[in-house]
Amino acid sequence: MLDTSGVVFLQLGAMAALALYVAANLGANDVANSMGTSVGSKALTLRQAIIVAGILEFSGAVLFGQGVSETLATGVVNAQVFAAQPQVFLIGMVSVLIACGIWLQIATSRGLPVSSSHAVVGAIAGFSCVAAGINAVDWRTIGTISLTWVATPVASGALAALFYSVVKYSILDRPDPLSQMREWIPWLSAAMLSVFGIIVLPSVVNVALVQTGAIAAAHDRFGWNLPIHDIVIGIGAIAAIGLTLNSWKKLESVEKEEERRKKEEVKGDKGFGPSTKPSPTPTVPHTLIEQQMARFQVLSACFVAFAHGSNDVGNAVAPLAAIAYIRRTGSFPSGDFSVPLWILVVGGAGIVIGLTIWGKNVIATVGEKIIELQPSGGFCAELATATTVLLASRLGLPVSTSHALVGAVVGVGLIKAWKTVRLQTLLSIGSAWLVTIPIAAGLAAIIFSIAQSIGQF
């Protein structure tokens, strides 16, 4: 017969497997947020997107995912209600894992990008109502999240429309787009690295320099007082300058290749007279512009994938972290609640597994089935998505990256050619958004009720 420690180990193993299942579905569904537009615009192939996203999502989840799960684990419920009955909360969190895994898999199989954050919140609210009544839920938080359903895609869409308008009217529609592109490269580099740098770099600097004691050592030895924000700005400035110089060099080589091709066409006739071949089409400069934009888009997708892994892994592992805490302490998660490294590894591994097995469905929906994207539009959509999520985080508003990205893609489509936006796809996505919280809540409530009945029996 197994001793108590063996039983606890088996229970945690089973819960870890369940969290891995949820993380796999999250990876399959949410990674379209970072890679969908890159695949849709042909900046990356599906295989390349899966490999790049897998590496960066796992790295972000394991290295910088510690601080995300606390609010999801305890912020939606009334802590006073469950403080006296932590075992009930534990059973509820198991129900949350099962309910979220089922709903995310259903949505992913249909290619629908839904919010894993909303699924977790809905599931927690669902079991809490059954366990301790409606007063066990913080309804103000639920109301705020509901408002973001409308605000997030609208704000992101407006920003994407603004960004794409600037690119379209300042570069693409000009008589000499290559010359305009050369002038705009520094601004595009600065815009992208400013937005993504603010999301990623503070966490990187904090872990790499603050937690390792490097900044403190530099102060003790040299008397240097290095604020984190100054280091972040310095790294961002160096990166922006480097990206600008590299992009100029790439653009120059492309222009030289294009000039060489034109000369060969002129010399194509045997008499070396004027060429009888048709002149290059006006789309050639635009093709070169899109090649340059593809490089920016791939880099932006990498930043989004890393940031997504570091932020959204909490949606999958927050319930597991709460379960592990209760099993270890026998009490409701309190101020010392944190996520162990092994749980982050489980979440990161699950994201990669799900992305590899099922991710192509949602990537195809976001990247190809709303509008036909080119790299210039995909870059603007990703930049708008990151900006929206960043501003919301600064204001303390819970938002969905899925909602932001879909809104951004639509915003680009409205400026590019509004008649090409596929309304049927948007209706399917919108319906999935609307039903996520009630379905997750209902599933969690049913599963919790069954689990309680089995326990009492």
Side-chain angles (χ1 to χ4, degrees), residues 355-399:
L355 168 66
T356 304
I357 298 175
W358 302 305
K360 61 181 180 181
N361 293 334
V362 178
I363 286 178
T365 297
V366 174
E368 300 174 354
K369 295 183 180 179
I370 299 176
I371 62 168
E372 292 183 2
L373 281 172
Q374 292 179 312
S376 55
F379 169 72
C380 293
E382 289 177 351
L383 186 62
T385 299
T387 303
T388 302
V389 174
L390 174 63
L391 290 175
S393 299
R394 286 286 180 261
L395 296 173
L397 298 174
V399 296

Coordinates of all heavy atoms in Angstrom, one line a residue, residues 355-399:
L355 N 1.4 23.4 -29.9 CA 1.7 24.2 -31.1 C 2.1 23.2 -32.2 O 1.6 23.4 -33.4 CB 2.8 25.2 -30.8 CG 3.4 25.9 -32.0 CD1 2.4 26.8 -32.7 CD2 4.7 26.7 -31.6
T356 N 2.9 22.3 -31.9 CA 3.4 21.3 -32.9 C 2.3 20.4 -33.5 O 2.2 20.2 -34.7 CB 4.5 20.5 -32.3 OG1 5.5 21.3 -31.8 CG2 5.1 19.5 -33.4
I357 N 1.4 20.0 -32.6 CA 0.4 19.0 -33.1 C -0.8 19.7 -33.7 O -1.3 19.3 -34.8 CB 0.0 18.1 -31.9 CG1 1.2 17.4 -31.3 CG2 -1.2 17.2 -32.3 CD1 0.8 16.6 -30.1
W358 N -1.3 20.7 -33.1 CA -2.6 21.3 -33.5 C -2.5 22.8 -34.0 O -3.5 23.3 -34.5 CB -3.6 21.2 -32.4 CG -3.9 19.9 -31.8 CD1 -4.3 18.8 -32.6 CD2 -3.8 19.4 -30.5 NE1 -4.4 17.7 -31.7 CE2 -4.1 18.1 -30.4 CE3 -3.5 20.1 -29.3 CZ2 -4.1 17.3 -29.3 CZ3 -3.5 19.4 -28.1 CH2 -3.8 18.0 -28.1
G359 N -1.4 23.4 -33.8 CA -1.3 24.9 -34.0 C -1.7 25.4 -35.4 O -2.1 26.5 -35.6
K360 N -1.6 24.5 -36.4 CA -1.8 25.0 -37.8 C -3.2 25.5 -38.0 O -3.5 26.3 -38.9 CB -1.4 23.9 -38.8 CG -2.3 22.7 -38.7 CD -1.8 21.6 -39.7 CE -2.7 20.3 -39.6 NZ -2.2 19.3 -40.5
N361 N -4.2 24.9 -37.3 CA -5.6 25.3 -37.5 C -5.9 26.8 -37.2 O -6.4 27.5 -38.1 CB -6.5 24.4 -36.6 CG -6.5 23.0 -37.0 OD1 -6.2 22.6 -38.2 ND2 -6.8 22.1 -36.1
V362 N -5.5 27.2 -36.0 CA -5.8 28.6 -35.7 C -4.8 29.6 -36.4 O -5.2 30.7 -36.7 CB -5.6 28.8 -34.1 CG1 -5.9 30.2 -33.7 CG2 -6.7 27.9 -33.4
I363 N -3.6 29.2 -36.6 CA -2.7 30.0 -37.4 C -3.3 30.3 -38.8 O -3.2 31.4 -39.3 CB -1.3 29.3 -37.5 CG1 -0.5 29.4 -36.2 CG2 -0.5 30.0 -38.6 CD1 0.8 28.7 -36.2
A364 N -3.8 29.3 -39.4 CA -4.4 29.5 -40.7 C -5.6 30.5 -40.6 O -5.8 31.3 -41.5 CB -4.9 28.2 -41.3
T365 N -6.4 30.4 -39.6 CA -7.6 31.3 -39.5 C -7.2 32.7 -39.3 O -7.7 33.6 -40.0 CB -8.5 30.8 -38.2 OG1 -9.0 29.5 -38.4 CG2 -9.6 31.8 -38.1
V366 N -6.3 33.0 -38.4 CA -5.9 34.4 -38.1 C -5.0 34.9 -39.3 O -5.2 36.1 -39.7 CB -5.0 34.4 -36.8 CG1 -4.5 35.8 -36.6 CG2 -5.9 34.0 -35.6
G367 N -4.2 34.1 -39.9 CA -3.3 34.6 -40.9 C -3.8 34.6 -42.3 O -3.4 35.4 -43.1
E368 N -4.8 33.8 -42.6 CA -5.3 33.7 -44.0 C -6.8 33.8 -44.2 O -7.2 34.3 -45.3 CB -4.8 32.3 -44.5 CG -3.3 32.1 -44.5 CD -2.9 30.7 -44.9 OE1 -3.8 29.9 -45.1 OE2 -1.7 30.4 -45.0
K369 N -7.6 33.5 -43.2 CA -9.0 33.4 -43.5 C -9.8 34.7 -43.2 O -11.0 34.8 -43.5 CB -9.6 32.2 -42.7 CG -9.1 30.9 -43.2 CD -9.8 29.7 -42.5 CE -9.2 28.4 -43.0 NZ -9.8 27.3 -42.3
I370 N -9.2 35.7 -42.6 CA -9.8 37.0 -42.4 C -9.6 37.9 -43.5 O -10.6 38.4 -44.2 CB -9.3 37.6 -41.1 CG1 -9.6 36.7 -39.8 CG2 -10.0 39.0 -40.8 CD1 -9.1 37.2 -38.5
I371 N -8.4 38.2 -43.9 CA -8.0 38.9 -45.1 C -6.7 38.2 -45.6 O -6.0 37.5 -44.9 CB -7.7 40.4 -44.9 CG1 -6.6 40.6 -43.9 CG2 -9.0 41.1 -44.4 CD1 -6.1 42.0 -43.8
E372 N -6.3 38.5 -46.9 CA -5.1 38.1 -47.4 C -4.0 39.2 -47.0 O -4.1 40.3 -47.4 CB -5.1 38.0 -48.9 CG -6.0 36.8 -49.4 CD -6.0 36.7 -50.9 OE1 -5.3 37.5 -51.6 OE2 -6.8 35.8 -51.4
L373 N -3.0 38.7 -46.3 CA -2.0 39.6 -45.7 C -0.7 39.6 -46.5 O -0.3 38.6 -47.0 CB -1.7 39.3 -44.3 CG -2.7 39.7 -43.2 CD1 -2.3 39.1 -41.9 CD2 -2.7 41.2 -43.0
Q374 N -0.1 40.8 -46.6 CA 1.3 40.9 -47.0 C 2.1 41.3 -45.8 O 1.6 41.7 -44.8 CB 1.4 41.9 -48.2 CG 0.7 41.5 -49.5 CD 0.8 42.5 -50.5 OE1 0.6 43.7 -50.3 NE2 1.2 42.1 -51.7
P375 N 3.5 41.1 -45.9 CA 4.3 41.5 -44.8 C 4.1 42.9 -44.2 O 4.1 43.0 -43.0 CB 5.7 41.3 -45.3 CG 5.6 40.2 -46.4 CD 4.2 40.5 -47.0
S376 N 3.8 43.8 -45.1 CA 3.6 45.2 -44.5 C 2.4 45.2 -43.7 O 2.4 45.8 -42.6 CB 3.4 46.2 -45.7 OG 2.4 45.8 -46.6
G377 N 1.3 44.6 -44.1 CA 0.1 44.5 -43.2 C 0.3 43.7 -42.0 O -0.2 44.1 -40.9
G378 N 1.0 42.6 -42.2 CA 1.2 41.7 -41.0 C 2.1 42.4 -39.9 O 1.8 42.3 -38.7
F379 N 3.1 43.1 -40.4 CA 3.9 43.9 -39.4 C 3.1 44.9 -38.7 O 3.2 45.1 -37.4 CB 5.0 44.6 -40.2 CG 5.8 45.6 -39.4 CD1 6.7 45.2 -38.3 CD2 5.7 46.9 -39.6 CE1 7.4 46.1 -37.6 CE2 6.4 47.9 -38.9 CZ 7.2 47.4 -37.8
C380 N 2.2 45.7 -39.4 CA 1.4 46.7 -38.7 C 0.4 46.0 -37.7 O 0.2 46.6 -36.7 CB 0.6 47.5 -39.8 SG 1.7 48.5 -40.8
A381 N -0.1 44.9 -38.1 CA -1.1 44.2 -37.2 C -0.4 43.7 -35.9 O -0.9 43.9 -34.8 CB -1.7 43.0 -37.9
E382 N 0.8 43.2 -36.0 CA 1.6 42.7 -34.8 C 2.0 43.9 -34.0 O 2.0 43.9 -32.7 CB 2.8 41.9 -35.3 CG 2.4 40.5 -35.8 CD 3.6 39.7 -36.3 OE1 4.7 40.3 -36.3 OE2 3.4 38.5 -36.6
L383 N 2.4 45.0 -34.6 CA 2.8 46.2 -33.9 C 1.6 46.8 -33.1 O 1.8 47.1 -31.9 CB 3.4 47.2 -34.8 CG 4.0 48.5 -34.2 CD1 5.2 48.1 -33.3 CD2 4.5 49.5 -35.2
A384 N 0.5 46.8 -33.7 CA -0.7 47.3 -33.1 C -1.1 46.4 -31.9 O -1.6 46.9 -30.8 CB -1.9 47.4 -34.1
T385 N -1.0 45.1 -32.1 CA -1.4 44.1 -31.1 C -0.5 44.3 -29.9 O -1.0 44.4 -28.7 CB -1.2 42.7 -31.6 OG1 -2.1 42.5 -32.7 CG2 -1.5 41.7 -30.5
A386 N 0.8 44.4 -30.1 CA 1.7 44.6 -28.9 C 1.5 45.9 -28.2 O 1.5 46.0 -27.0 CB 3.1 44.5 -29.4
T387 N 1.2 47.0 -29.0 CA 1.0 48.3 -28.4 C -0.3 48.3 -27.5 O -0.3 48.8 -26.4 CB 0.8 49.3 -29.5 OG1 2.0 49.3 -30.3 CG2 0.7 50.7 -28.9
T388 N -1.3 47.6 -28.0 CA -2.6 47.6 -27.3 C -2.4 46.8 -26.0 O -2.9 47.2 -24.9 CB -3.7 46.9 -28.1 OG1 -3.9 47.6 -29.4 CG2 -5.0 46.8 -27.4
V389 N -1.8 45.6 -26.1 CA -1.6 44.8 -24.9 C -0.7 45.5 -23.9 O -1.0 45.5 -22.6 CB -1.0 43.4 -25.2 CG1 -0.7 42.6 -24.0 CG2 -2.0 42.7 -26.1
L390 N 0.3 46.2 -24.3 CA 1.2 46.9 -23.4 C 0.5 48.1 -22.7 O 0.6 48.2 -21.5 CB 2.4 47.5 -24.2 CG 3.4 48.4 -23.5 CD1 4.0 47.6 -22.3 CD2 4.4 49.0 -24.4
L391 N -0.3 48.9 -23.5 CA -1.0 50.0 -22.9 C -2.0 49.5 -21.9 O -2.2 50.0 -20.8 CB -1.7 50.8 -24.0 CG -0.8 51.6 -24.9 CD1 -1.6 52.3 -26.0 CD2 0.0 52.7 -24.1
A392 N -2.7 48.4 -22.2 CA -3.7 47.8 -21.3 C -3.0 47.3 -20.0 O -3.5 47.5 -18.9 CB -4.4 46.7 -21.9
S393 N -1.8 46.7 -20.1 CA -1.1 46.3 -19.0 C -0.7 47.4 -18.1 O -0.7 47.3 -16.8 CB 0.2 45.5 -19.4 OG -0.2 44.4 -20.2
R394 N -0.3 48.5 -18.7 CA 0.1 49.7 -17.9 C -1.1 50.3 -17.1 O -0.9 50.8 -16.1 CB 0.7 50.8 -18.8 CG 2.1 50.4 -19.3 CD 3.1 50.6 -18.2 NE 4.5 50.3 -18.7 CZ 5.1 49.2 -18.5 NH1 4.5 48.2 -17.8 NH2 6.3 49.0 -18.9
L395 N -2.3 50.1 -17.7 CA -3.5 50.6 -17.1 C -4.1 49.6 -16.1 O -5.1 49.8 -15.5 CB -4.5 51.0 -18.1 CG -4.1 52.2 -19.0 CD1 -5.2 52.3 -20.1 CD2 -4.0 53.5 -18.2
G396 N -3.5 48.4 -16.1 CA -4.0 47.3 -15.2 C -5.3 46.7 -15.7 O -6.1 46.1 -15.0
L397 N -5.5 46.7 -17.0 CA -6.7 46.1 -17.6 C -6.4 44.7 -18.2 O -5.4 44.5 -18.9 CB -7.2 47.0 -18.8 CG -7.7 48.4 -18.4 CD1 -8.0 49.2 -19.6 CD2 -8.9 48.3 -17.4
P398 N -7.2 43.7 -17.8 CA -7.0 42.4 -18.4 C -7.5 42.3 -19.8 O -8.7 42.5 -20.1 CB -7.8 41.5 -17.4 CG -8.9 42.4 -16.9 CD -8.3 43.7 -16.9
V399 N -6.6 42.0 -20.7 CA -7.0 41.9 -22.1 C -6.6 40.6 -22.7 O -5.8 39.9 -22.2 CB -6.4 43.1 -23.0 CG1 -6.9 44.4 -22.5 CG2 -4.9 43.0 -23.0

